Amino acid sequence: MTVTAPDSTTRSSSAPLDVAADASAALDASALLAAPAAPALPALPGRDLTRPELKAWVDEMATRPEAWRHLVQHGGGQRHFASLYRDSHIDVWLLCWDTTDDTGWHDHDISSGAVAVVEGAVNEANPRMGGEAVSRVVEAGRSFHFGPDHIHRMGGHIDGSVSIHAYSPPLWRMGQYSIGSNGVMRRQSVSYADELRPMDDVSVIEQYRDEQAAADALAARDA
């Protein structure tokens, strides 16, 4: 879901309008003037952002609920997320969390990122070879940033949680990981548009590959 400015409308005519038409035109013009403007985003530098810049940007975005609160959704047995903004330098998403949500282990390919928690709290974990994952709870009002080398897993710590995520350069691919019971880690490259999900069983990755192969074959047939 992308936030866009309302479409503008123009009216022109070389013929005189009657009274009813004049009234209709006046009402149309009044409605256009009353239409709310698209919420302003924090300023962007017109280039890829550094990690501290990304963190500062999501912190500022968190203070502008008019730009994202109307997209918050929870429940329905599925995860809810929405694209807030995307250009050639930054990719911004709103993610809604319940305690049943789990992204699984993943990275963000070549992109750095930052996360601001605006409601509730989320869990973040980092894998540790030969030991338990390192976990923490990030509460509303807190934020963090990371580089392309960062592998983590996120989930809702409290039902009804919300966070804002920004990536630079924009996401195109991500790495989804499975860590088997024998400690072997496998990485599957996925599209940024795919929903992240746990892949702790290697068979899940194999199933995903089969689904991707079928989708690619269908796309090639329709091309």
Side-chain angles (χ1 to χ4, degrees):
M1 187 181 300
T2 304
V3 178
T4 57
D7 292 334
S8 59
T9 303
T10 59
R11 177 190 297 270
S12 63
S13 175
S14 58
L17 294 174
D18 59 20
V19 174
D22 284 339
S24 177
L27 288 173
D28 287 347
S30 175
L32 286 174
L33 291 173
L41 299 177
L44 290 165
R47 55 166 172 78
D48 290 355
L49 284 72
T50 65
R51 290 166 53 179
E53 287 174 333
L54 281 169
K55 183 178 181 297
W57 197 92
V58 295
D59 285 341
E60 176 64 21
M61 188 66 168
T63 68
R64 305 189 183 195
E66 68 278 5
W68 49 264
R69 188 174 297 282
H70 62 291
L71 297 171
V72 172
Q73 297 183 60
H74 294 281
Q78 60 182 344
R79 290 183 60 204
H80 296 280
F81 47 92
S83 175
L84 296 178
Y85 180 76
R86 183 181 177 91
D87 65 19
S88 58
H89 299 291
I90 192 171
D91 189 14
V92 188
W93 292 80
L94 178 82
L95 275 67
C96 304
W97 304 93
D98 290 326
T99 54
T100 55
D101 295 329
D102 182 359
T103 63
W105 302 109
H106 65 279
D107 65 38
H108 303 89
D109 202 43
I110 65 171
S111 300
S112 294
V115 176
V117 182
V118 295
E119 294 180 4
V122 300
N123 299 318
E124 190 207 21
N126 304 107
R128 184 172 60 178
M129 297 299 99
E132 293 294 323
V134 179
S135 301
R136 62 172 172 165
V137 176
V138 185
E139 298 179 338
R142 305 295 298 272
S143 61
F144 61 95
H145 61 76
F146 49 85
D149 58 337
H150 190 71
I151 300 173
H152 70 171
R153 181 176 198 155
M154 293 190 65
H157 185 71
I158 299 173
D159 285 338
S161 299
V162 181
S163 56
I164 297 170
H165 301 231
Y167 307 97
S168 185
L171 293 174
W172 284 108
R173 306 295 299 177
M174 293 187 292
Q176 185 86 71
Y177 292 86
S178 167
I179 303 178
S181 58
N182 59 357
V184 174
M185 175 183 286
R186 298 173 183 266
R187 183 183 190 272
Q188 171 70 33
S189 179
V190 300
S191 166
Y192 79 97
D194 290 332
E195 179 180 349
L196 294 175
R197 52 184 173 172
M199 289 187 173
D200 293 326
D201 186 338
V202 173
S203 64
V204 176
I205 289 185
E206 293 170 349
Q207 178 184 355
Y208 183 88
R209 286 174 177 163
D210 291 342
E211 293 173 354
Q212 286 293 101
D216 291 344
L218 183 61
R221 188 193 69 185
D222 295 340

